[in-house]
Amino acid sequence: MNRVVHPIEVESYRRLRARLDTSHFPTLTRAVVERVIHSAADLDYATDLVMTEADLEKAHAALHAGAPVVVDVEMVGAGITRRETVCRLRDAVAGPGLTRSAHAIRLAHEQVGPGALWVIGNAPTALEELLTLDADPALVIGLPVGFVGAVESKAALRESGLPAVSNVSEKGGSAVAAAALNALLYHPTSAEEKL
């Protein structure tokens, strides 16, 4: 991917690295941590995020091989650059015991099937619903924000054993969820590194 990095972003990363040493993180973990911190100007994400390099490597390969990207809300999709996303929230309806966000996840699962990257930055109920499905994801970026259900849904994601990026606190949101996916999207593949 040919991406022109704006000088403001270069300076932002320079200042971030001057305030926080991220050199001990493995390559893709570092990319995700730095991009999330950059998106939120919140250094605490360095110790709040939870992920494994092995999961990120597999997700990176799947993403660059064209795996679908599903988002819980259009705001997450708007933050993901240079990649089409699937968001079914406009088609979803709430019902007894089912939020619109959860229904949208069901609809998206029916559409994309296994192997997708799921990016959830808004609704804990979307993440909870995803965990009930046999989605077989390439990765779940589970970073919903809020005081009700966010911490619990992210803990359930980590306990599920699915390949994931999550965080421990109530923090999260559309911008950081999109940033985590963009970190993988922007990071070159081995073929691109040779160019």
Side-chain angles (χ1 to χ4, degrees), residues 39 69-81 83 85-90 100-101 119-123 143 145 172-182:
S39 74
V69 176
V70 181
V71 298
D72 63 331
V73 293
E74 290 179 14
M75 189 178 291
V76 174
I80 296 171
T81 57
R83 189 62 184 268
T85 61
V86 173
C87 181
R88 296 297 302 274
L89 192 59
R90 288 181 187 234
R100 266 184 73 218
S101 295
V119 188
I120 298 175
N122 184 63
L143 295 169
V145 63
S174 298
V176 298
L181 190 281
N182 283 338

Side-chain angles (χ1 to χ4, degrees), residues 5-173:
V5 180
H6 194 279
I8 291 173
E9 182 177 335
V10 172
E11 177 61 14
S12 181
Y13 269 75
R14 187 197 66 74
R15 291 182 188 194
L16 182 162
R17 290 173 180 153
R19 293 177 63 183
L20 178 70
D21 180 10
T22 59
S23 63
H24 63 284
F25 288 115
T27 303
L28 290 173
T29 300
R30 181 181 187 188
V32 171
V33 167
E34 288 184 345
R35 181 123 331 249
V36 166
I37 289 171
H38 174 259
S39 74
D42 186 343
L43 298 174
D44 290 341
Y45 275 111
T47 55
D48 192 38
L49 288 166
V50 179
M51 68 199 96
T52 70
E53 187 72 5
D55 287 346
L56 295 179
E57 288 170 354
K58 291 175 187 168
H60 181 261
L63 180 64
H64 287 274
V69 176
V70 181
V71 298
D72 63 331
V73 293
E74 290 179 14
M75 189 178 291
V76 174
I80 296 171
T81 57
R82 300 181 184 215
R83 189 62 184 268
E84 293 296 318
T85 61
V86 173
C87 181
R88 296 297 302 274
L89 192 59
R90 288 181 187 234
D91 305 317
V93 293
L98 185 71
T99 65
R100 266 184 73 218
S101 295
H103 186 228
I105 294 300
R106 285 185 190 178
L107 294 172
H109 178 255
E110 291 170 6
Q111 179 178 339
V112 302
L117 288 89
W118 295 80
V119 188
I120 298 175
N122 184 63
T125 58
L127 183 53
E128 291 165 0
E129 184 63 25
L130 179 60
L131 295 177
T132 69
L133 303 174
D134 187 21
D136 191 22
L139 184 70
V140 178
I141 296 174
L143 295 169
V145 63
F147 295 113
V148 178
V151 167
E152 296 82 359
S153 67
K154 292 181 275 192
L157 172 59
R158 290 189 299 278
E159 291 165 11
S160 74
L162 293 174
V165 173
S166 69
N167 68 312
V168 177
S169 73
E170 295 95 349
K171 292 188 295 189

